[in-house]
Amino acid sequence: MDYFVGDKEYFKGIGKIKFEGKESKNPLAFKVYDAKKKIAGKTMEEHLRFATAYWHSFCADGADPFGSSTMVHPFHNSDPMKQAMAKADAAFEFFTKLGTPYYCFHDIDVSVEGKSVSEYESNFKKITEILLERQKETGVKLLWNTANVFTHPRYMHGAATNPDFSVVARAAVQVKACLDANVRLGGENYVFWGGREGYMTLLNTDMKRERENLATFLTMARDYGRSIGFKGNFLIEPKPMEPTKHQYDYDAATTIAFIREFGLEDDFKCNIEANHATLAGHTFEHDLQVCSDNGMLGSVDANQGDAQNGWDTDEFPTNVYETTLAMLVIMRAGGLGHGGLNFDAKRRRGSIDNEDLFLSHIGGMDSFAFGLEVASKIIEERVLDDFITERYASFDSGLGKKFSQGAMDLCALAEHGRTVSIIEKSGKQEKLQNLLNSYILG
Ligand code: XUL
Ligand code: CO
């Protein structure tokens, strides 16, 4: 009774998910994630700031390009608005039972697009009030929301980068409505993922103009958001391709350069998704590190890809090696700040039981909790940091320090180079990998 909202329980037979520890054989219990356990001065819950993604958990139904849906959601209703309301109740029941303190959504995940702009706006407003009510009842908060300006056919050639100004303006309807909803719901961040902000072929594309239009659009959104009291970060979520052949926000480095090129660096950061980083030919931790080094780490879409087929499979994160490396970067960066770990991940097409929705999230939460524990131990014991400090020590004194401070010229550097005696040193990669494994193995 305690763990559902509204007048109906949707996930019957599943109660509050509890921490039971590594010895537990109960599949519906956490083995590592112990929300209130303190690590490095903060609870696991405060460090990890988990969020459930509305679209994968309550909208996706197992359909893929080769087959129709395989899942029937427990809130299914033939009346779309009634279904949206029931979906909200089911979603908040799920967040509460699972214990994810945040959630994320696209406008059309939570609402009904309708047949006209005004229907879209009034449906969305109505649902926003229901979400607000449910937030107040449960204490669950909005990590971020975003506008889905990529599914509808009108966005086939892009939203803010569409060659037709009418489509750009139509996208503004949704982004404006989403910013209004965000402020009403006290959202902590606002996300832009440019699914169709890219091109299929340069033969029909003015790339310069499209990138400039994107920047103009984002600037307007920033100005509007600030004018209505949005105080959080605007986040751009990089992805190199899919659905477009080439997406403008290719990876963290490209996105940060774009943000700076157009003077948006005071308001915008990145939302890094693991499977997008790997799609761009990087590791997850690489793109996190690029953001950290540039003060641009906003939030994280926590998932994993498949090494064999490479595309955006959006799997739940189970690879504890990857979560450890990711948490190492995040913890060294000082944590997630107002960001979080949002499970932009979906259970597989064949995982059709309601229980599977819980099991997939439990695995993801345990994997990141594990990464957090190992990473903080590695940081606390300075096992990697001392090695790295020592590796670069020649820049900390004498001429090396002068070089680092930009106080030498090339002639002086070359003059020094004529006199140096170089002692070759091992990078000790295997030693460090073995050390990392010893921490993972415990
Ligand atoms: C798509 C993707 C999106 C964004 C939000 O690959 O990651 O779901 O996270 O639009
Ligand atoms: Co994402």
Side-chain angles (χ1 to χ4, degrees), residues 124-140:
F124 193 18
K125 274 194 186 135
K126 203 181 276 176
I127 294 290
T128 300
E129 293 311 308
I130 291 172
L131 296 175
L132 184 61
E133 211 40 54
R134 298 299 178 235
Q135 284 186 197
K136 284 183 188 156
E137 282 169 53
T138 60
V140 173

Side-chain angles (χ1 to χ4, degrees), residues 64-83:
D64 70 12
F66 301 95
S68 53
S69 65
T70 56
M71 299 165 193
V72 181
H73 289 293
F75 47 81
H76 176 79
N77 193 308
S78 52
D79 178 311
M81 269 310 264
K82 279 194 184 141
Q83 170 160 301

Side-chain angles (χ1 to χ4, degrees), residues 237 273 276 301 344:
E237 184 177 322
E273 177 164 328
H276 294 180
D301 272 10
D344 190 353

Side-chain angles (χ1 to χ4, degrees), residues 55 106 144 146 150 193 237 239 273 276 301 312 344:
W55 55 102
H106 301 83
W144 54 259
T146 184
F150 46 86
W193 170 62
E237 184 177 322
K239 186 176 182 182
E273 177 164 328
H276 294 180
D301 272 10
D312 194 16
D344 190 353

Side-chain angles (χ1 to χ4, degrees), residues 327-328 331-332 374-382 385:
M327 286 312 299
L328 206 48
M331 295 294 281
R332 278 192 184 131
V374 177
S376 30
K377 208 156 182 214
I378 291 174
I379 292 170
E380 190 189 308
E381 295 179 9
R382 294 198 56 82
D385 298 68

Side-chain angles (χ1 to χ4, degrees), residues 28-75:
L28 285 166
F30 296 116
K31 313 296 178 302
V32 194
Y33 181 63
D34 185 0
K36 301 296 172 209
K37 179 175 175 181
K38 282 222 166 166
I39 292 187
K42 283 203 280 185
T43 63
M44 280 193 164
E45 189 175 30
E46 288 163 343
H47 277 293
L48 297 165
R49 299 169 56 86
F50 286 128
T52 300
Y54 222 93
W55 55 102
H56 284 310
S57 296
F58 312 111
C59 305
D61 57 8
D64 70 12
F66 301 95
S68 53
S69 65
T70 56
M71 299 165 193
V72 181
H73 289 293
F75 47 81

